[in-house]
Amino acid sequence: MKTDIRKYFRRTVRMTLTMLAAVTIFPSCVTYYAVVPEVHPDGSMTRTVYAEADSACLAGDLSSQPFLFEPGKQWQTGRMAEPKIWWFLDDSATMNFYASRTFRPSDTSYRDIPASEEYAGLPYVKARERWDRKRGLLFNTYSYTCTVPGIADRMPVPPDSIMTAEEINKWFRSAGSYAGMNGAEAYTGLTDLYDKYTGWVDICYREQIYRIICTTAGEELTDSLKTGLMQWMKKHYDFYEDMLFAFDGSDGSVLTDIAGQMSRLSGNPVYAEAASVHAVTWAEEISDIEEQLTAPFFYAMLYQVRMPGRLTSANTDLMDDGIPVWKVDGFRLLAGDLTVEATSRRANPLGFILLGLIVLASAILFFRPHK
């Protein structure tokens, strides 16, 4: 059953779902984009991206354009006549600027150019679009797909080492009764999964810290000692609670403490000695890694795919006045590649006219008097 996104949001706002700021990586810091691909009857496709621009951009300074990609000469950019509010399931955003480009049916080799080196590693600028028109006598069929690469393999510990496939889908893709939302947006009733998710975040931190210390020290703990260290870290540090701040501007005291425990467990002073020299550098390195790993979570895309004729399929349960809607963000990408798919069918008037002429000609030949 498809859910109309406008009625859905009016209903869920009244439900007053409690949202956890840390789970959604501080929504007020998220940059939102609305992506509207429109496939045309002739097989071409126009992609329009909406964003919130600052006053300088609105005044005409395109050097401060708000997009993750670089709109080239073939793109049209400009200020929207009227700002528009888009809903992003657990949040909303007002857009006031757009970039639009029409692609020919043969334009399948286009690749987004990141607006800066900072955005080059983001999965959103690596998305791959495909659209197609297949001609038929009576109907033309159209398809659109856009695949955004997953990010699980970039994490220090993959989510599937902590959660089952079903749990990953429920937490990162679909929360079940909350149409379109995932567990990170509607964690009410998902306490066990929330605990697993925060536990996974902590394990990622513990593993990354261990790797950094061992790399510098040139030594590793035995498996049993490493297990003991991880249990000790779990008891003494909750990295999830301090997410994004644990090592920002740190003096390295946390890492010095952990390296000291590694020396105490192993009886080898090499870890503590390395910390006395490198703890602050380690903190900076972890902060940099943290920034890279969390970058995809600071952006969210709302796709609204417009198709010619009648929509025949779409791999989403959310609709906006008959237009299929998808949300793409870092959480959903932790469950793997995310593909937006839609197909439609449009009548071919010439085909019906031709068929009618054939039927008429056949009828005339069949019923005409024989001499």
Side-chain angles (χ1 to χ4, degrees):
M1 178 180 177
K2 303 297 183 183
T3 302
D4 186 281
I5 195 168
R6 297 180 183 182
K7 294 179 181 178
Y8 172 65
F9 284 120
R10 285 197 290 271
R11 182 171 68 252
T12 54
V13 167
R14 288 196 296 268
M15 291 169 63
T16 319
L17 291 175
T18 303
M19 309 311 294
L20 187 62
V23 174
T24 54
I25 312 294
F26 310 107
S28 61
C29 297
V30 175
T31 300
Y32 295 102
Y33 297 93
V35 184
V36 183
E38 181 175 1
V39 179
H40 302 294
D42 65 357
S44 62
M45 188 273 293
T46 298
R47 190 212 306 175
T48 305
V49 184
Y50 298 91
E52 183 178 8
D54 60 20
S55 57
C57 181
L58 294 177
D61 180 10
L62 293 183
S63 65
S64 61
Q65 64 90 5
F67 303 106
L68 300 176
F69 65 96
E70 185 65 46
K73 294 180 180 179
Q74 293 176 296
W75 288 81
Q76 289 185 331
T77 60
R79 182 174 187 167
M80 296 173 61
E82 292 290 338
K84 180 180 177 181
I85 296 176
W86 268 271
W87 285 98
F88 284 77
L89 300 184
D90 60 331
D91 201 0
S92 65
T94 301
M95 310 297 184
N96 56 14
F97 200 76
Y98 74 91
S100 183
R101 177 180 172 181
T102 297
F103 298 87
R104 300 187 302 266
S106 59
D107 288 337
T108 57
S109 60
Y110 173 79
R111 297 291 183 267
D112 279 329
I113 299 174
S116 70
E117 187 64 29
E118 174 188 356
Y119 302 142
L122 290 174
Y124 312 108
V125 295
K126 298 178 180 179
R128 294 293 175 258
E129 289 179 300
R130 290 183 180 277
W131 60 96
D132 186 35
R133 175 187 64 171
K134 292 183 178 179
R135 297 175 182 271
L137 175 62
L138 302 180
F139 295 94
N140 293 334
T141 58
Y142 300 84
S143 64
Y144 172 87
T145 63
C146 181
T147 300
V148 185
I151 60 174
D153 59 349
R154 294 167 50 180
M155 299 296 128
V157 177
D160 60 10
S161 66
I162 308 301
M163 298 181 180
T164 66
E166 181 182 0
E167 290 170 336
I168 287 174
N169 182 67
K170 194 171 186 179
W171 187 258
F172 296 123
R173 288 281 170 91
S174 173
S177 60
Y178 301 100
M181 301 180 85
N182 60 22
E185 294 157 343
Y187 72 98
T188 303
L190 300 176
T191 305
D192 291 343
L193 276 180
Y194 170 69
D195 290 342
K196 279 198 170 186
Y197 169 70
T198 56
W200 169 67
V201 172
D202 271 330
I203 290 172
C204 283
Y205 272 96
R206 294 198 292 267
E207 184 65 29
Q208 192 62 51
I209 289 169
Y210 175 77
R211 292 177 189 174
I212 287 175
I213 294 175
C214 287
T215 298
T216 304
E219 296 279 352
E220 287 197 31
L221 299 177
T222 63
D223 290 344
S224 61
L225 290 181
K226 181 182 177 182
T227 299
L229 173 70
M230 294 301 174
Q231 292 174 347
W232 180 87
M233 291 172 68
K234 180 179 180 180
K235 180 179 179 181
H236 288 80
Y237 294 102
D238 188 341
F239 297 109
Y240 178 80
E241 291 296 329
D242 296 322
M243 203 172 186
L244 305 178
F245 300 111
F247 303 103
D248 189 16
S250 170
D251 60 0
S253 58
V254 171
L255 295 161
T256 299
D257 188 24
I258 294 170
Q261 179 64 12
M262 292 172 70
S263 286
R264 287 190 290 273
L265 285 172
S266 64
N268 188 340
V270 67
Y271 306 107
E273 291 172 354
S276 66
V277 177
H278 300 284
V280 173
T281 304
W282 290 342
E284 294 173 353
E285 184 178 349
I286 289 176
S287 183
D288 290 342
I289 292 172
E290 185 179 55
E291 185 176 338
Q292 294 171 17
L293 294 179
T294 58
F297 299 90
F298 287 96
Y299 303 92
M301 313 285 159
L302 189 76
Y303 277 77
Q304 291 186 335
V305 179
R306 302 172 186 269
M307 304 290 289
R310 183 177 67 86
L311 185 72
T312 53
S313 68
N315 62 341
T316 178
D317 290 326
L318 292 179
M319 307 291 287
D320 185 353
D321 282 354
I323 300 172
V325 177
W326 295 258
K327 184 180 179 183
V328 182
D329 59 12
F331 287 105
R332 287 166 173 80
L333 295 177
L334 281 171
D337 294 354
L338 195 159
T339 299
V340 172
E341 293 180 326
T343 61
S344 70
R345 188 173 72 165
R346 185 174 184 267
N348 184 358
L350 292 178
F352 279 98
I353 292 173
L354 178 60
L355 179 62
L357 291 174
I358 293 174
V359 171
L360 179 61
S362 300
I364 292 174
L365 290 173
F366 182 78
F367 289 108
R368 75 178 181 177
H370 295 281
K371 294 182 180 180

